[in-house]
Amino acid sequence: MSQHETPLFTGLKEHAKRNPYQFHIPGHKKGHGMDPEFRDFIGENALSIDLINIAPLDDLHQPKGMIKQAQDLAAQAFGADHTFFSVQGTSGAIMTMIMSVVSPGDKIIVPRNVHKSIMTAIVFSGATPVFIHPEIDRELGISHGITPQSVKKALEQNPDAKGVLVINPTYYGVSANLSEIVEIAHSYRVPVLVDEAHGVLIHFHDKMPLSAMQAGADMAATSVHKLGGSLTGSSILNIKEGLVSAKRVQTILSMLTTTSTSYILLASLDTARKRLATEGYSIIEKTIKLANGAREKINQIPRLYCVGDEILGKEATYDLDPTKILISVKELGITGYDAEVWLREKHNIEVELSDLYNILCLITTADHEKNIMVLVNALEEMSQHFENTDERAAQALPVHVPDIPVLALSPRDAFYADTESVPFEESAGRIIAEFIMVYPPGIPIFIPGEIITQDNLDYIKETIEAGLPVQGPEDPELGKLKVIKEHIAIR
Ligand SMILES: Cc1ncc(COP(=O)(O)O)c(C=O)c1O
């Protein structure tokens, strides 16, 4: 089959065209049995392929027909031995990836700044995380990835680990030398699992960091929906056989996946793969040019700094995806969140994320010169506005990055332990039993089992005061935190 074909999407369209009498779910039957306002808004084409795994349409849980063909084409396009489609986002693919290599009690080497889906898989599987501290960029106030040297050290101390997990590239587009990490891990016969949530495009252009499959990694959870043009919630899991088993992956994926798989999401993966495989290079080339043009213009704006190749050359900053426009606003004396809100209110611009010091804007294959200029002009005005009107502008915001807390109990033991709720202000020194994270990007400040420190409590307060979304605890107001119950000795 050629990469120009879309067996799944085409098969679905042909099925819909035959217009069969439907006596199966979904009960809306091409939209006839649903609220008319929603039906008219979504449109009949989409509803005609909102189908489920009836025999002619194959089954994601045991693909043999059009889904298998679509997955095989994706594997070819992504340089994998096998590709599995996920309708539960990259989170679903990540949980599958981890749970197919670890059993209860096994060690897995992971950076501490991982997405919550990784920690969720660790809690569910009962694996023990061996954390590697990511490299911290104190200028920008962000974490990068882990370095080959730190992986080497972790493996020397834990040669029995069942996997090494790497984020490549990070949310901000930075990657370490993944080939070297793979070489080190493979010398211990330990598989490398890659969180490639922000790297679907990198496989298709040589001015991008190496993709997981190009670097020889064993598995990669790759968000096609984030940047590759498929619908939200669709993603893929690529694997290279050898140290991991495709059959095991299929079993775990099936255990974690709904039996009512959305064919709209699956079809969108099929067509996104076709576009990336057949036109990827040229559209990514154009995107990189647009992003580099934007970077240059933004760097001419007083007190704004848009990160570029100058940050490369260190172990954790080996390569950069230039389409990620990370802008440090701290010299304006405002937080990233202030900038996000200002851009929303004054210019109807929505950024990808903000943190205490930065905003992140994504230039994608959908962009063109005109909307890049909307962003650049708005940033120019923002720089002038805060210079002229805001007294904070006189002082750049100092960067504060909290320490990583110490893990006292395995995340699973802590998550399932006897717990009690204590006031936030009195929780320092206790072991936390829940996750606390800022979303986006969904990186935990605390994971279950860590010892709460005052420094981290202060950081949470600072984050909330800046307006950033802190999520995770059972008490969303953060008045109380769930901690492990302390059993006092009986006298
Ligand atoms: C680094 C990273 N990994 C994994 C995920 C999970 O992806 P999804 O939202 O597709 O489940 C995200 C989502 O933002 C992410 O930023």
Side-chain angles (χ1 to χ4, degrees):
M1 266 195 154
S2 124
Q3 289 291 337
H4 289 273
E5 292 179 67
T6 51
L8 179 47
F9 178 49
T10 307
L12 278 175
K13 278 196 302 181
E14 281 167 4
H15 180 85
K17 208 161 139 201
R18 280 197 293 277
N19 201 17
Y21 292 100
Q22 293 182 350
F23 290 98
H24 59 74
I25 56 173
H28 68 67
K29 300 190 182 183
K30 302 168 205 146
H32 299 299
M34 64 169 35
D35 179 68
E37 189 185 348
F38 184 73
R39 177 184 61 220
D40 294 346
F41 186 77
I42 293 289
E44 67 184 59
N45 277 343
L47 292 168
S48 75
I49 61 163
D50 184 27
L51 294 160
I52 52 128
N53 51 343
I54 48 174
L57 302 182
D58 207 4
D59 186 351
L60 187 65
H61 290 265
Q62 212 169 14
K64 293 191 182 101
M66 58 177 83
I67 295 181
K68 168 126 186 23
Q69 288 173 339
Q71 290 190 152
D72 288 349
L73 280 172
Q76 209 181 64
F78 281 89
D81 290 338
H82 300 275
T83 294
F84 297 91
F85 287 176
S86 163
V87 290
Q88 284 167 207
T90 309
S91 296
I94 282 177
M95 288 195 260
T96 302
M97 178 163 82
I98 293 176
M99 292 174 84
S100 54
V101 298
V102 293
S103 303
D106 283 344
K107 292 180 189 165
I108 178 162
I109 296 170
V110 292
R112 173 56 181 75
N113 59 330
V114 285
H115 185 261
K116 66 176 180 174
S117 56
I118 292 166
M119 288 317 305
T120 304
I122 287 174
V123 168
F124 287 165
S125 65
T128 305
V130 173
F131 286 126
I132 298 187
H133 282 223
E135 295 290 302
I136 305 286
D137 188 320
R138 291 191 184 273
E139 272 299 299
L140 294 167
I142 61 170
S143 305
H144 295 312
I146 52 177
T147 65
Q149 279 316 308
S150 60
V151 171
K152 189 160 179 258
K153 218 159 117 190
L155 280 164
E156 278 164 6
Q157 291 170 19
N158 302 279
D160 54 341
K162 289 295 187 314
V164 172
L165 190 133
V166 185
I167 309 162
N168 183 77
T170 63
Y171 213 140
Y172 305 106
V174 177
S175 65
N177 186 340
L178 186 59
S179 304
E180 206 181 327
I181 292 176
V182 169
E183 207 176 297
I184 294 165
H186 283 181
S187 72
Y188 287 83
R189 298 202 53 73
V190 173
V192 175
L193 323 181
V194 181
D195 175 348
E196 207 172 48
H198 298 284
V200 67
L201 299 183
I202 62 179
H203 188 78
F204 298 94
H205 203 288
D206 52 9
K207 287 188 199 132
M208 292 283 209
L210 277 192
S211 74
M213 292 298 110
Q214 286 162 339
D218 303 272
M219 287 200 257
T222 308
S223 278
V224 184
H225 77 88
K226 285 195 201 294
L227 296 162
S230 69
L231 290 178
T232 296
S234 62
S235 194
I236 57 170
L237 177 53
N238 287 321
I239 85 162
K240 273 214 165 83
E241 274 199 297
L243 297 177
V244 295
S245 147
K247 286 196 175 121
R248 179 80 174 161
V249 170
Q250 174 71 69
T251 304
I252 307 278
L253 184 71
S254 189
M255 286 167 76
L256 293 174
T257 298
T258 170
T259 39
S260 306
T261 46
S262 161
Y263 275 73
I264 300 185
L265 296 191
L266 292 173
S268 79
L269 283 171
D270 196 24
T271 53
R273 179 274 310 152
K274 172 189 153 200
R275 185 164 185 254
L276 288 171
T278 58
E279 305 168 58
Y281 193 91
S282 61
I283 54 182
I284 296 167
E285 175 78 15
K286 182 182 138 245
T287 310
I288 293 173
K289 275 202 185 117
L290 279 177
N292 282 337
R295 179 173 284 105
E296 213 171 284
K297 291 187 185 86
I298 294 166
N299 275 328
Q300 284 162 13
I301 302 174
R303 287 166 299 282
L304 292 185
Y305 163 50
C306 181
V307 175
D309 281 352
E310 69 288 340
I311 67 156
L312 300 183
K314 304 213 179 85
E315 247 211 299
T317 57
Y318 182 78
D319 212 345
L320 180 73
D321 170 352
T323 64
K324 308 282 164 69
I325 297 292
L326 174 61
I327 305 163
S328 166
V329 298
K330 65 177 186 176
E331 294 293 323
L332 291 175
I334 59 171
T335 65
Y337 183 71
D338 293 335
E340 174 183 333
V341 172
W342 192 89
L343 288 169
R344 177 176 298 131
E345 287 176 354
K346 304 285 181 208
H347 288 273
N348 196 21
I349 287 174
E350 295 292 344
V351 302
E352 168 66 13
L353 68 77
S354 64
D355 59 31
L356 288 173
Y357 314 105
N358 312 288
I359 53 172
L360 179 67
C361 297
L362 304 180
I363 308 302
T364 77
T365 62
D367 281 304
H368 42 80
E369 196 62 54
K370 217 163 135 198
N371 53 3
I372 302 279
M373 283 320 294
V374 170
L375 175 67
V376 171
N377 291 338
L379 290 169
E380 255 166 21
E381 201 184 305
M382 184 174 81
S383 167
Q384 282 163 16
H385 173 83
F386 285 101
E387 179 198 25
N388 297 334
T389 63
D390 201 289
E391 51 199 40
R392 287 175 301 181
Q395 268 185 339
L397 225 57
V399 172
H400 167 216
V401 184
D403 284 338
I404 292 174
V406 173
L407 190 71
L409 270 185
S410 92
R412 183 187 176 86
D413 287 346
F415 189 75
Y416 289 113
D418 242 2
T419 57
E420 62 184 334
S421 290
V422 296
F424 180 89
E425 305 291 348
E426 294 165 24
S427 62
R430 302 292 297 269
I431 298 173
I432 193 151
E434 56 187 350
F435 289 98
I436 300 185
M437 66 210 107
V438 185
Y439 189 88
I443 308 295
I445 299 170
F446 283 126
I447 58 174
E450 287 182 333
I451 301 173
I452 299 169
T453 63
Q454 192 57 49
D455 185 36
N456 277 278
L457 293 176
D458 293 344
Y459 181 75
I460 292 171
K461 272 203 286 194
E462 198 181 332
T463 305
I464 294 170
E465 276 159 20
L468 291 162
V470 175
Q471 288 186 2
E474 279 184 9
D475 174 8
E477 305 303 321
L478 276 151
K480 294 206 163 176
L481 292 184
K482 233 171 109 178
V483 298
I484 307 290
K485 214 172 195 167
E486 283 177 350
H487 292 279
I488 298 164
I490 300 164
R491 283 174 189 273

